[in-house]
Amino acid sequence: MLVQTLGKLGQTLVVLFIVSVATFGLLKLAPGDPVQIMLGSEYSQESYESLTAEMGLDRPFLAQYADWALNFVQGDWGTSFVARTDIFTYAFKEALPVTLTLASFSLVFAVLIGVPLGVLSAVKKDTAFDAGSAVFALTGTAFPSFLLGILLIWFFGVRLGWFPVMGYVSPWEDFWTGVYHMILPGLTLSTYFIAMITRLTRATLIEVLDQPYIAAARARGEPGWRVIWVHGVRNIAMPLVTILGLQLGTLLQGTVLTETVFNLPGIGQMLTSAVLGREYMVVQAGVMMTAFLFIGVNLLVDLSYPILDPRLRDRK
């Protein structure tokens, strides 16, 4: 078990290294000159060369990457020349909490709505409820999230006035106000995952309910709710956790549009503003943070398998 864990940690570090090299190299090929952007429209050749040397952009690629990587792991991510603020502070204290809050609410909505809906669809197989659930699942996976966000803003925010349409309040500062502000963005981002979890839960549970141990549990006279939720749902936990881990990339991708639609100052909006402003150091930091979140969650998913299925603990 320990050897497997160390091996997975080693693989994680290798993947992060590859992502960092690829990101650093691709951003070097991106159009635009950060030195010109920082100096403005009028500058002298001497000032251009001086700033280029100060930023280390006149050095070889490997030397630039080594300097950047060393500074990055030490928390020195540079300064945003548009916002005039430290990138590390801005990313971790302002942008990351917003994105994590939005992603957490979305996952909670997806699990609390998708799993019961999928269970009921499996139990009521081939009924009108099952057909309606299938239509919802198909629509949810196909409907664009940005359009859904606009519709939710128009109907629940503008027409009915039930929820705020933009802005962010930290749940750590004011929990209920923070939850109130996250309902519409969370539903917007989680709709795709609700539909996906509903379909997966239904399909997997139907197979599980045909297994002999389910028939044995029923023969012992166990209540129907226990057969479904204890013996049935417990055995579909691993596929659900796996899918949620693999779909984190889609979730993080969706935060870009959702944060833009609802004007949330998270990583998605930080990356959007940085790309438009040609702030490649901010883009680099945002990409690395996103990669770390994605790889880290997948690592936690791998490490959770022995907890979800004790039979895996004894495997070498």
Side-chain angles (χ1 to χ4, degrees), residues 78-298:
T79 303
S80 169
F81 54 83
V82 173
R84 301 296 179 184
T85 184
D86 180 69
I87 297 175
F88 182 86
T89 302
Y90 170 56
F92 267 91
K93 291 188 177 181
E94 298 182 26
L96 182 61
V98 178
T99 297
L100 290 180
T101 301
L102 176 59
S104 300
F105 271 86
S106 301
L107 287 176
V108 169
F109 287 153
V111 173
L112 292 183
I113 299 175
V115 172
L117 192 59
V119 170
L120 289 176
S121 298
V123 173
K124 299 180 180 296
K125 180 184 175 183
D126 298 329
T127 63
F129 181 88
D130 186 28
S133 175
V135 171
F136 164 75
L138 182 61
T139 305
T141 53
F143 206 80
S145 61
F146 73 91
L147 180 57
L148 176 62
I150 293 173
L151 292 176
L152 291 178
I153 289 175
W154 171 76
F155 186 74
F156 291 103
V158 177
R159 289 291 299 273
L160 299 179
W162 290 357
F163 302 102
V165 297
M166 61 179 59
Y168 170 77
V169 176
S170 173
W172 301 106
E173 298 177 359
D174 189 335
F175 180 77
W176 292 114
T177 303
V179 171
Y180 187 56
H181 277 76
M182 276 290 133
I183 290 179
L184 290 185
L187 286 176
T188 299
L189 185 57
S190 65
T191 299
Y192 170 83
F193 297 94
I194 293 173
M196 181 190 63
I197 291 176
T198 299
R199 296 175 63 182
L200 177 65
T201 302
R202 177 190 180 278
T204 310
L205 188 59
I206 287 176
E207 294 181 4
V208 169
L209 293 179
D210 289 335
Q211 299 300 315
Y213 63 85
I214 296 295
R218 287 172 173 163
R220 291 194 299 268
E222 295 192 26
W225 66 268
R226 180 176 176 82
V227 172
I228 299 296
W229 290 99
V230 177
H231 299 289
V233 174
R234 183 178 62 182
N235 286 279
I236 68 172
M238 285 184 63
L240 283 176
V241 171
T242 301
I243 289 296
L244 288 174
L246 294 176
Q247 290 295 323
L248 177 66
T250 305
L251 179 66
L252 294 175
Q253 179 184 1
T255 61
V256 176
L257 292 174
T258 305
E259 289 173 1
T260 302
V261 171
F262 289 91
N263 195 28
L264 299 175
I267 295 178
Q269 193 175 88
M270 181 186 78
L271 282 172
T272 302
S273 301
V275 170
L276 295 176
R278 301 294 193 273
E279 291 198 270
Y280 297 137
M281 294 184 67
V282 180
V283 174
Q284 212 161 276
V287 171
M288 288 302 299
M289 291 177 65
T290 304
F292 182 80
L293 289 174
F294 178 76
I295 297 171
V297 169
N298 279 274

Side-chain angles (χ1 to χ4, degrees), residues 1-35:
M1 183 67 182
L2 178 60
V3 175
Q4 292 179 350
T5 302
L6 293 177
K8 293 182 184 299
L9 287 174
Q11 294 174 3
T12 300
L13 293 177
V14 171
V15 173
L16 284 173
F17 170 73
I18 295 174
V19 170
S20 68
V21 173
T23 303
F24 190 84
L26 290 174
L27 287 177
K28 288 295 180 183
L29 299 176
D33 188 341
V35 177

